[in-house]
Amino acid sequence: MDTILSVEGLEVEFATYGGTVKAVRGVSFDVTRGETLAIVGESGCGKSVTVQSLMGLIPMPPGEITGGTATLNGKNILNLPPAEANKFRGVEVGMIFQDPMSSLNPTMTIGDQIAETLKVHRGKSDQEAFKLAVELLERTHIPEASKRAKQYPFEFSGGMLQRAMIAQSLACNPAILIADEPTTALDVTIQAQILELMLELQRTENMSIILITHDLAVVARMADRVAVMYAGQVIESGTVDDIFYRSSHPYTLGLKEAMPSNTDDRDKSLSPILGSPPDLFKPPVGCGYCARCPYAMAVCAEHLPPTTTISESHEARCWLHHPTAPDIEELHQLDDQNAG
Amino acid sequence: MLAYTLKRLFAGVVTVWFIATATFIAMHQVPGDPLMNDKAVSAEIRANLEAKYGLDKPVTEQYFIFLGNMLRGDFGISFTQQNRRVNDIIRDHFPISATLGLLAIFFAATGGVLWGALTAIYRNRLPDIVIMFLVILGISVPSFVFAALGQLFLVNLNSLFGQSIIPVAGWGTFWHMLMPSMVLGLGTMALLTRLMRSSMLEVVNEDYIKTARAKGLSPTRIFFKHQLRNAILPVITVLGPQIAAITTGGFVVELVFAIPGLGRYFVQAVQQLDYTVIMGTTVFYGAFLVMMVIIVDILYGFIDPRVRLS
Amino acid sequence: MSLFEPTAADFEPLARQEKAEQITRPSLSYWQDAWVRLKKNTRAIISLGIIVLLGLFTMIGPLLWSVNPALQNLNQVSQAPSWAKSAVVIAPYQSWDGIRLDNFTSPDQTFTSLPEPTGFSTPDTPTTQRVRLAWDQVPGADGYNVYRNNHAPRDFNDLGLPLGSTYGDELSYEDRLSLEPREYYYSLVPTDGYDEYEVYSQLILTPVLALTPDEAVERGLITDTHEVNIGDLVTIEFHPLGTDYLGRDMLARLMEGARVSLFIGIVAPFLFVLVGIIYGGFAGYFGGRVDGLLMRFAEFVVALPFLLFMILFKIAFGIGPGESGIMPMLLALVLLSWPSTARLVRGQVLQIREEGYIEAARLLGAKDHYLVLRHIIPNTMGVILVTLTFAVPAAIFTEAFLSFIGMGVAPPTPSWGSMCNEGVKTMLSHPHELIFPALLISITVLAFNLLGDGLTEALDSKMRSRD
Ligand SMILES: Nc1ncnc2c1ncn2[C@@H]1O[C@H](COP(=O)(O)OP(=O)(O)OP(=O)(O)O)[C@@H](O)[C@H]1O
Ligand code: SF4
Ligand SMILES: [Mg+2]
């Protein structure tokens, strides 16, 4: 397969007033052309920090990338000086953020902001760039694009702004679009439209998407593959089916149980995951989920579980996959697989 | 925008009326009859004044005569300088004060923006610490002390070179204006620097700056195109009220540097209880300041699209 | 990690020790919490210390330094700060004939250059009564110029005050020009009777502070001239911060001035904040039309150009003969300054009114005045305290400004501002008269500003949740 982005053992720390926060602790994943990789996990587990460190958007200081590699089309992209980083930012990788209202410069017209990318990276003239910006707005289905392009962000609705953001990030036909919770700040109907737009553009541009979300329903709808993060680590990754139907990590199971679903029988009550994620000032030596895991074993507290390959596409980090570990009902399928 | 401008102008007119009324009331509280107090007034002028201001009439009537005169832009005749019209005094001396004030505002605004941006860039590093220390000083030291120090500096500078490099006092050339206007702008500059710094730091953390970086823009471009413009906006909003501060601060500077501006005239008039000059100048200054605030607000509207288009 | 091979025992279910939830942070009241945070702010604490010191300076100072601030002494006008506590008693001034050459003939030509004068010295002890200078004849010179400077001359053009000239046969000079017990740089330049030769020699000396018995009696140091002998030391009134243009003790005047400046600086904000609280509280509490009207009026008052109207109101309230003018200034300050507090309080009250707990209290049957006292006022106290802290330096500035342009307190009442006004006139010759009051104003304003900054941070509830 055609791997575009490959992240290996990424580690990010923040030096704060209270100590060092180990926000990302050895994250690895690959992105192949045309696919959507969803990154899910609780708030604060390091999703945003992961993608922002790839883009060089971590404020340094206090942030620091302390380890790992990230290769985009064969080139290293970590810890580049701004001049180097700007060769791929906005060109090969586009990015959109959670809150479109605050993500656009309030004193610059939408059209100018989109055109700016084209002028900087493609050397277009003012008029040319603006014309292309209008085309981009049209491609993201903004009505009356040429009029809209002359307007300021405050004249747009949230959904329109997110479309404009997408248009802006698409300006240079990037290979990857990173979307950090692109729909969280929008209301439900608008959410669906934005996701639809992203899918459509992905098909037409053959673009990869890294989609960060809390919402498993969005994952189910959008993603090809999923990486589940917990306390700064990827604890399970696999195809959507692997994650939803062959969940191999107690945390993923917990996430699923905490999610309302319309296929399960309605009587089944939702069970939130009790407790809170570990303090990343002092990350646990063993499994990060240990304190909340219903299956926790003596080994979990002291030793980091190794990554177990469950199938070609499916990996998980849990001691339960060790040959000597007891069988767990809920994780049965995987044991069947292992046996078979 | 037009409706907004009209609304502001109307409110401005009402404010000026209020200022005139307050002036009238205040001046009528002055103990004793200002006319009787002043021996310098000749019988002829007194008769003139009494006729003009209706001083023998009831207060309410005097008030309307006063308002009428103000409306016509007629501020009357000075008590102490016979036959000199207040309008002429204002016309002769206000341009000097205005020049001084404008230069001061210019120094204050450019300096404030520059230093503020610099401190934000070098946040918590040496330049920031040094400038912010100076800013705190600038806010805490009264303007007349700066004026005195400025003059002292010029005296020493000139004596060092054994000749008058920059004039120590007076008015006329650009060199006369340099030190007074810098001194006058200093307090405001300190204030604006502080404001600009916090505004810059706020903008740096805005999401759209992150967006700009994700777009692959160079730091210089981000700084000038995205950060600076947005950070300057709050600085502009306080410029209007600051003009008032600079105008009154001008009184002191004009006194110390012996500049024949309207401020010095006003202070002199107050000391001599020159009734008409005080009233006229107060109303004039009041109207001027109200207008400045309105102008700055409208200008702001042109810079900030959120105001312009709403 | 990969080396680790777990055994079966490792896969036993984890025994969890049920730790009781510990409350790690002691719960603090709003004010305790703010105080804890303020204490961490070194600058604010230092400022608080300075403010306390200023208070002591004003209150206790006059008890320790009981010099009458109004006492004029024209013998000691504009004296620089000094620690000299005693003066030597000397005989009354006797004229001096100086040193003259008996057989001197003027040189009949002007030389291109002359050697430096030699033997430039004092024949006896220089005192503040007079400094006598003598020198050796410079062959070829037909006169001498004597200069005096307060600092070391940089070059020939910087010899300082020209004291006088002598003829070629006069080899001495007596300086009696307002001498102070400080270091002087005397320079001697030979002339051709008219023009100077560009050479000089220098003498550095410090005159001894000296008094004649009569002067000592005059100054009230002794009652009778017979009490002392020539050469005795008498203790004189000393002025650690010097004297002003009327010979009044600066330190005593600064203390007296502090009373005036701080009185206005602290009382005026208290008064107008109080007025603002009542006005704003009223407007906010009643809301609706009352609120609209009250706030419209407040807006007008805000629009008045502040210092212009301060001056105007000051004139309007007038100062009668013998009055200090403090009260008119206070009144004018209150009249013009209350709207900002009123607006602030009104906003706070409106906001708090909307909050659930007021509604809840009302449902529980709380009376209005109870609500105001128990909830609304305590909740606005934080902002009000900050306003108050920043209002103090503003008021001190206003007083100083007005007094400086002669519109403030009336002489002889000293205030820091009026002292600056007087000091600026003699700034070039006696800078201490301006420097001390200006320094005190600046330090006070600085301290209150920094304390205000600290309080803002400490009381900011957003920061409260942060750490
Ligand atoms: N600038 C920073 N300084 C200090 N710590 C930071 C900084 N940015 C992020 N962190 C820390 O890094 C951790 C991960 O944050 P991150 O924003 O990646 O979470 P997230 O998974 O994106 O959560 P959310 O779903 O809420 O967006 C958090 O514990 C956070 O406290
Ligand atoms: S390693 Fe242990 S604690 Fe962690 S998820 Fe697996 S079973 Fe639970
Ligand atoms: Mg995030």
Side-chain angles (χ1 to χ4, degrees):
Chain A
M1 270 214 268
D2 188 3
T3 300
I4 297 175
L5 176 68
S6 167
V7 178
E8 273 299 321
L10 180 68
E11 287 177 19
V12 186
E13 291 179 358
F14 289 98
T16 68
Y17 184 64
T20 307
V21 181
K22 298 196 168 60
V24 176
R25 306 185 291 147
V27 163
S28 308
F29 58 82
D30 288 340
V31 180
T32 51
R33 182 171 301 282
E35 75 161 354
T36 300
L37 170 71
I39 302 181
V40 294
E42 261 171 302
S43 192
C45 69
K47 307 180 296 288
S48 299
V49 170
T50 302
V51 290
Q52 288 183 7
S53 58
L54 297 180
M55 291 291 276
L57 298 180
I58 299 286
M60 302 192 201
E64 195 191 346
I65 298 175
T66 47
T69 58
T71 323
L72 175 74
N73 288 329
K75 301 179 299 269
N76 169 45
I77 56 168
L78 282 190
N79 281 328
L80 293 180
E84 287 296 310
N86 286 343
K87 287 180 185 157
F88 78 87
R89 289 199 288 210
V91 187
E92 291 174 67
V93 187
M95 186 160 180
I96 60 177
F97 299 93
Q98 175 172 349
D99 185 2
M101 307 280 187
S102 61
S103 297
L104 285 160
N105 184 343
T107 58
M108 211 169 165
T109 62
I110 300 282
D112 283 343
Q113 293 189 57
I114 299 175
E116 192 177 24
T117 320
L118 291 160
K119 283 195 279 189
V120 168
H121 294 300
R122 294 281 183 257
K124 302 277 187 211
S125 69
D126 287 2
Q127 289 95 346
E128 236 182 324
F130 197 82
K131 224 181 79 206
L132 287 172
V134 174
E135 275 169 29
L136 281 163
L137 287 175
E138 275 163 359
R139 252 162 67 201
T140 52
H141 307 307
I142 289 182
E144 297 180 273
S146 54
K147 190 183 121 217
R148 286 298 205 159
K150 295 198 188 79
Q151 291 184 333
Y152 291 90
F154 75 97
E155 297 169 89
F156 273 52
S157 66
M160 284 294 165
L161 280 178
Q162 197 60 294
R163 283 170 192 271
M165 277 295 288
I166 293 174
Q168 172 173 269
S169 58
L170 291 182
C172 297
N173 297 317
I176 302 180
L177 175 67
I178 299 178
D180 190 349
E181 305 191 35
T183 55
T184 313
L186 307 175
D187 59 46
V188 188
T189 48
I190 308 291
Q191 279 186 17
Q193 290 170 12
I194 295 291
L195 294 175
E196 198 51 51
L197 174 69
M198 285 172 61
L199 280 178
E200 177 196 324
L201 290 168
Q202 180 175 37
R203 276 194 301 275
T204 53
E205 318 277 326
N206 193 26
M207 172 177 73
S208 312
I209 294 178
I210 300 178
L211 176 69
I212 294 178
T213 179
H214 294 277
D215 189 345
L216 289 189
V218 170
V219 175
R221 176 159 166 207
M222 299 281 294
D224 301 308
R225 288 196 305 119
V226 184
V228 183
M229 280 187 71
Y230 188 83
Q233 291 175 324
V234 175
I235 48 94
E236 183 172 4
S237 65
T239 63
V240 178
D241 286 353
D242 289 335
I243 299 297
F244 280 89
Y245 301 114
R246 295 183 284 279
S247 315
S248 302
H249 194 283
Y251 175 67
T252 316
L253 280 178
L255 266 188
K256 263 167 52 189
E257 265 156 39
M259 179 179 85
S261 141
N262 40 18
T263 52
D264 286 357
D265 53 307
R266 312 246 156 154
D267 304 338
K268 203 180 145 202
S269 61
L270 294 179
S271 43
I273 306 176
L274 297 174
S276 52
D279 191 350
L280 290 178
F281 282 112
K282 289 187 253 50
V285 270
C287 169
Y289 194 50
C290 184
R292 299 162 84 186
C293 178
Y295 316 112
M297 299 164 289
V299 64
C300 307
E302 297 302 325
H303 299 278
L304 197 66
T307 304
T308 314
T309 306
I310 292 157
S311 70
E312 195 195 341
S313 61
H314 194 182
E315 289 180 340
R317 257 184 186 230
C318 175
W319 280 115
L320 288 175
H321 299 292
H322 194 271
T324 34
D327 271 8
I328 301 295
E329 189 78 20
E330 283 85 348
L331 299 174
H332 226 73
Q333 291 132 328
L334 70 105
D335 294 320
D336 290 349
Q337 270 182 340
N338 284 354
Chain B
M1 192 66 192
L2 185 69
Y4 170 77
T5 309
L6 286 178
K7 211 178 104 192
R8 287 305 311 266
L9 281 179
F10 177 73
V13 170
V14 178
T15 311
V16 173
W17 164 76
F18 186 77
I19 289 174
T21 307
T23 312
F24 181 82
I25 294 172
M27 290 318 283
H28 269 262
Q29 294 303 311
V30 176
D33 182 349
L35 280 183
M36 298 305 151
N37 280 349
D38 206 321
K39 296 149 219 84
V41 181
S42 68
E44 185 194 350
I45 292 185
R46 179 170 307 160
N48 257 340
L49 287 170
E50 280 189 1
K52 188 160 178 96
Y53 298 105
L55 291 177
D56 44 350
K57 302 203 174 81
V59 177
T60 41
E61 215 166 307
Q62 286 186 37
Y63 172 63
F64 284 111
I65 293 175
F66 165 77
L67 274 192
N69 288 342
M70 292 286 147
L71 261 184
R72 270 180 278 118
D74 176 2
F75 294 124
I77 297 163
S78 164
F79 270 34
T80 48
Q81 291 183 300
Q82 305 183 1
N83 298 329
R84 190 143 188 232
R85 280 160 27 105
V86 179
N87 290 39
D88 294 336
I89 294 177
I90 292 177
R91 203 183 37 239
D92 289 350
H93 300 282
F94 178 66
I96 295 175
S97 296
T99 314
L100 184 68
L102 277 180
L103 260 179
I105 276 280
F106 173 76
F107 277 127
T110 45
V113 167
L114 213 72
W115 298 128
L118 212 64
T119 50
I121 293 172
Y122 288 97
R123 186 187 186 180
N124 292 341
R125 281 185 279 159
L126 193 67
D128 179 29
I129 293 166
V130 171
I131 294 174
M132 285 322 282
F133 176 75
L134 293 178
V135 161
I136 286 283
L137 272 188
I139 290 172
S140 304
V141 176
S143 57
F144 54 77
V145 175
F146 283 129
L149 290 179
Q151 205 173 34
L152 200 63
F153 171 78
L154 288 186
V155 169
N156 283 329
L157 183 82
N158 289 342
S159 83
L160 186 70
F161 285 95
Q163 68 190 69
S164 178
I165 306 268
I166 295 176
V168 173
W171 193 249
T173 66
F174 173 75
W175 296 110
H176 285 99
M177 305 173 190
L178 196 63
M179 182 57 87
S181 53
M182 282 206 286
V183 163
L184 185 52
L186 218 54
T188 301
M189 188 195 290
L191 212 86
L192 295 184
T193 304
R194 220 168 128 125
L195 194 65
M196 182 69 187
R197 177 178 188 268
S198 60
S199 172
M200 282 287 285
L201 292 180
E202 216 158 276
V203 169
V204 174
N205 289 323
E206 290 284 352
D207 287 347
Y208 56 79
I209 298 298
K210 199 171 259 183
T211 307
R213 290 209 282 151
K215 271 158 75 173
L217 305 185
S218 68
T220 345
R221 190 180 178 100
I222 293 175
F223 181 80
F224 284 108
K225 284 257 169 184
H226 295 268
Q227 218 174 314
L228 208 56
R229 184 185 167 110
N230 284 293
I232 286 177
L233 290 179
V235 177
I236 295 175
T237 53
V238 300
L239 227 46
Q242 278 305 308
I243 291 179
I246 286 209
T247 309
T248 34
F251 296 1
V252 160
V253 173
E254 285 174 18
L255 277 183
V256 173
F257 286 92
I259 296 168
L262 190 55
R264 206 170 63 136
Y265 236 91
F266 179 73
V267 173
Q268 202 179 316
V270 166
Q271 277 156 357
Q272 299 171 344
L273 272 186
D274 194 336
Y275 194 67
T276 36
V277 174
I278 297 175
M279 287 223 276
T281 330
T282 307
V283 175
F284 175 79
Y285 263 134
F288 170 72
L289 295 179
V290 167
M291 211 167 68
M292 280 333 249
V293 173
I294 295 176
I295 288 176
V296 169
D297 280 0
I298 291 174
L299 277 183
Y300 179 81
F302 276 103
I303 299 168
D304 190 340
R306 282 162 295 191
V307 178
R308 185 197 328 150
L309 299 168
S310 60
Chain C
M1 195 57 58
S2 53
L3 295 175
F4 170 73
E5 242 334 295
T7 60
D10 285 323
F11 290 97
E12 290 300 313
L14 185 64
R16 292 184 196 269
Q17 56 275 58
E18 297 288 331
K19 268 186 289 179
E21 281 267 316
Q22 262 185 354
I23 299 170
T24 47
R25 267 213 299 185
S27 70
L28 296 174
S29 79
Y30 179 60
W31 293 103
Q32 281 172 319
D33 192 36
W35 174 237
V36 166
R37 239 166 338 170
L38 187 68
K39 273 200 290 193
K40 278 196 215 142
N41 186 335
T42 348
R43 288 204 297 185
I45 289 302
I46 291 175
S47 303
L48 198 60
I50 290 176
I51 291 168
V52 170
L53 283 181
L54 278 167
L56 292 179
F57 177 76
T58 319
M59 307 283 190
I60 316 278
L63 301 179
L64 300 178
W65 183 251
S66 51
V67 173
N68 180 0
L71 183 73
Q72 302 184 3
N73 185 342
L74 297 177
N75 289 318
Q76 291 200 306
V77 165
S78 296
Q79 280 201 345
S82 73
W83 286 101
K85 274 188 86 167
S86 53
V88 184
V89 178
I90 52 167
Y93 176 73
Q94 286 153 350
S95 62
W96 184 44
D97 292 336
I99 302 165
R100 275 175 186 278
L101 287 177
D102 291 334
N103 40 12
F104 176 77
T105 44
S106 291
D108 48 8
Q109 63 171 112
T110 298
F111 300 92
T112 45
S113 67
L114 284 185
E116 268 179 34
T118 54
F120 191 31
S121 61
T122 51
D124 60 1
T125 319
T127 67
T128 51
Q129 189 186 50
R130 84 282 181 288
V131 172
R132 287 172 181 166
L133 302 165
W135 53 89
D136 299 341
Q137 185 187 8
V138 178
D142 195 15
Y144 304 91
N145 285 349
V146 183
Y147 291 86
R148 189 180 85 190
N149 206 345
N150 292 345
H151 56 259
R154 283 184 294 269
D155 56 33
F156 189 77
N157 293 317
D158 187 34
L159 298 181
L161 195 66
L163 290 174
S165 311
T166 66
Y167 295 112
D169 61 340
E170 286 178 283
L171 298 184
S172 64
Y173 183 81
E174 189 180 42
D175 175 17
R176 294 181 62 197
L177 187 73
S178 54
L179 288 159
E180 283 174 27
R182 52 163 297 170
E183 200 173 48
Y184 288 115
Y185 295 80
Y186 286 96
S187 305
L188 182 70
V189 181
T191 66
D192 62 1
Y194 190 69
D195 285 326
E196 290 184 343
Y197 291 102
E198 252 190 67
V199 290
Y200 68 99
S201 74
Q202 205 183 76
L203 179 63
I204 306 168
L205 58 82
T206 306
V208 179
L209 184 59
L211 282 173
T212 62
D214 285 338
E215 281 170 343
V217 172
E218 202 179 303
R219 277 165 66 168
L221 303 175
I222 51 175
T223 47
D224 193 275
T225 45
H226 301 299
E227 279 177 37
V228 288
N229 297 317
I230 304 303
D232 281 359
L233 289 178
V234 287
T235 311
I236 61 160
E237 70 280 56
F238 84 112
H239 304 287
L241 299 184
T243 58
D244 73 354
Y245 72 111
L246 290 175
R248 294 173 294 195
D249 182 62
M250 284 290 285
L251 181 58
R253 270 177 76 70
L254 284 171
M255 286 170 177
E256 176 88 0
R259 270 192 210 176
V260 175
S261 292
L262 291 182
F263 176 77
I264 293 175
I266 291 172
V267 173
F270 261 102
L271 287 179
F272 74 67
V273 163
L274 197 69
V275 173
I277 291 175
I278 294 170
Y279 192 96
F282 208 71
Y285 193 78
F286 288 99
R289 286 177 67 102
V290 182
D291 176 41
L293 265 165
L294 289 178
M295 282 301 124
R296 184 59 51 84
F297 180 68
E299 256 169 52
F300 278 128
V301 178
V302 171
L304 296 179
F306 178 72
L307 281 168
L308 276 177
F309 270 80
M310 274 302 292
I311 295 172
L312 218 57
F313 283 174
K314 272 268 310 168
I315 312 170
F317 303 139
I319 307 176
E323 284 174 28
S324 61
I326 296 176
M327 284 306 151
M329 191 179 310
L330 213 58
L331 195 59
L333 259 173
V334 174
L335 269 183
L336 286 170
S337 309
W338 59 267
S340 56
T341 324
R343 271 196 205 173
L344 202 85
V345 171
R346 169 188 170 263
Q348 289 276 315
V349 171
L350 282 182
Q351 198 186 328
I352 291 170
R353 241 166 48 130
E354 302 303 316
E355 306 228 359
Y357 62 92
I358 295 284
E359 207 45 50
R362 211 191 278 272
L363 284 177
L364 290 173
K367 293 266 183 344
D368 276 359
H369 66 89
Y370 172 82
L371 287 180
V372 170
L373 285 181
R374 192 75 193 82
H375 291 288
I376 294 186
I377 289 187
N379 276 293
T380 47
M381 267 334 256
V383 223
I384 289 169
L385 189 65
V386 171
T387 317
L388 206 57
T389 317
F390 282 122
V392 172
I396 290 177
F397 250 30
T398 308
E399 184 279 320
F401 177 87
L402 290 179
S403 295
F404 183 80
I405 60 173
M407 287 290 102
V409 295
T413 316
S415 80
W416 290 342
S418 62
M419 290 177 74
C420 286
N421 175 26
E422 288 155 6
V424 82
K425 291 167 192 154
T426 53
M427 165 182 90
L428 293 180
S429 49
H430 309 289
H432 71 276
E433 286 172 51
L434 173 64
I435 288 173
F436 290 123
L439 209 61
L440 275 175
I441 295 175
S442 307
I443 290 174
T444 313
V445 171
L446 186 73
F448 274 101
N449 275 334
L450 290 180
L451 181 66
D453 284 346
L455 275 179
T456 317
E457 270 170 37
L459 290 171
D460 190 345
S461 52
K462 262 187 284 175
M463 301 194 69
R464 195 170 147 91
S465 55
R466 198 175 291 168
D467 53 8

